[in-house]
Amino acid sequence: MTRQKEGMIGVMAAQTLLGTIGLCVLESGAGPVTVAFYRCIVGGLALAAYCFWRGDLTCIFRAPGRVLLPAVASGVLMAGNWVLFFEGIRQTGIAVATITFHIQPFLVVLLGALVFHERLRPVTLIWIALALFGLVLATGLTGAEFAADRSYLFGLGATLAAACLYAGVTIIAKGLTGLSAAQLATIQFLTGSLVLVAFQPLSPFELSAGQWGWLTVIGLVHTGGVYVMLYNALPKLTTPVIAVLLFLYPASAIVVDALVYGQLISPGQLAGLGLIVLTSLAVTLNWGRRPDAAAPTKPPVSCRASSG
């Protein structure tokens, strides 16, 4: 098997698995803070074991403060992102929340322009405007369909806020050197678990055996397992291939929501997802820009392991 095929299988498996995380969140019956806390602690310990196996766990403790402080800050944002995203799933459903969250790459572009003074070209602004239109279609809040209740609107707001926080995580990671992706994620998750303790998640003794099962799957499979798969697979692929495969996540989430909960998205929502996918590829692959102006082809920051 070629290196590229190995990478494609790894990314496809990881993204398809991420599409099932909403199912585990809902079936666990636990609140967003509790789910996020156990995802942080179980996933963080799993990734710490992975770093130990690789022989670079101790490097985390030798990292200078200028590296650790941004990493810890990104962990706080990551924890908040997960709490808000899980709340979005509860209020709007798996498919809508997942599609809405995938507006995140465009927020990274806007934050990058603000933080790193990156130039926003007119064609990029056009793609972003089309993506926002796609988002409106995908949420179902158009014309006569604009009859959502407050909980639905709150869920959309929580999901968009989650996307904003994850964009902040991505921007911090973009400017951070001295840590591998696995080391950074380990710091983020363990930091997140410490932060979320203050919000009183359910204690281990308050969880039923069934809840433990679902939360363990989220921590070990959707976090530790998926992140390791992505770490090993992404370096084997080019940016165009990665950009396309990452959208298996929302596609998988839509299928899960339809099969398990009977939640079918409308043709308009499907068109909205198509616009988000198209415009995300356009921004990632620099469509509409002169070849000499485009950035070198490499895996984009937004291709890091998804928050999902």
Side-chain angles (χ1 to χ4, degrees), residues 184-268:
L184 174 59
T186 300
I187 294 172
Q188 289 171 333
F189 299 165
L190 296 181
T191 297
S193 64
L194 293 175
V195 170
L196 291 172
V197 165
F199 294 89
Q200 300 181 330
L202 292 178
S203 74
F205 305 105
E206 295 177 288
L207 297 172
S208 68
Q211 288 177 315
W212 262 117
W214 291 112
L215 295 176
T216 300
V217 169
I218 291 172
L220 290 181
V221 177
H222 294 103
T223 309
V226 163
Y227 274 60
V228 170
M229 278 191 282
L230 289 173
Y231 297 149
N232 291 322
L234 291 178
K236 301 174 183 178
L237 300 173
T238 60
T239 296
V241 175
I242 293 171
V244 172
L245 293 181
L246 288 185
F247 283 97
L248 283 173
Y249 175 12
S252 175
I254 290 170
V255 172
V256 168
D257 210 11
L259 292 179
V260 179
Y261 299 109
Q263 298 292 327
L264 301 176
I265 64 173
S266 68

Side-chain angles (χ1 to χ4, degrees), residues 4 7-8 11-12 234-248 277-278 280-287 294-303:
Q4 185 179 39
M8 290 180 66
V11 173
M12 290 171 67
L234 291 178
K236 301 174 183 178
L237 300 173
T238 60
T239 296
V241 175
I242 293 171
V244 172
L245 293 181
L246 288 185
F247 283 97
L248 283 173
V277 171
L278 177 66
S280 179
L281 290 174
V283 169
T284 301
L285 304 180
N286 297 309
W287 292 352
T297 299
K298 61 180 181 180
V301 175
S302 58
C303 288

Side-chain angles (χ1 to χ4, degrees), residues 79-149:
N81 149 70
W82 281 347
V83 171
L84 290 168
F85 179 60
F86 296 154
E87 182 63 31
I89 288 175
R90 290 178 60 190
Q91 301 295 343
T92 67
I94 297 170
V96 171
T98 305
I99 294 171
T100 302
F101 184 82
H102 276 76
I103 201 71
Q104 176 264 337
F106 305 99
L107 299 177
V108 172
V109 171
L110 295 175
L111 276 177
L114 180 65
V115 175
F116 298 114
H117 306 290
E118 297 172 348
R119 180 182 176 186
L120 277 179
R121 299 175 182 275
V123 68
T124 302
L125 295 175
I126 292 173
W127 291 128
I128 292 175
L130 285 174
L132 293 176
F133 178 64
L135 177 63
V136 172
L137 290 176
T139 57
L141 300 181
T142 56
E145 296 177 335
F146 192 83
D149 58 28

Side-chain angles (χ1 to χ4, degrees), residues 51-75:
C51 289
F52 178 78
W53 176 75
R54 284 165 47 100
D56 57 5
L57 179 62
T58 56
C59 296
I60 294 176
F61 305 105
R62 296 198 298 267
R66 61 180 175 78
V67 173
L68 283 178
L69 287 177
V72 168
S74 69

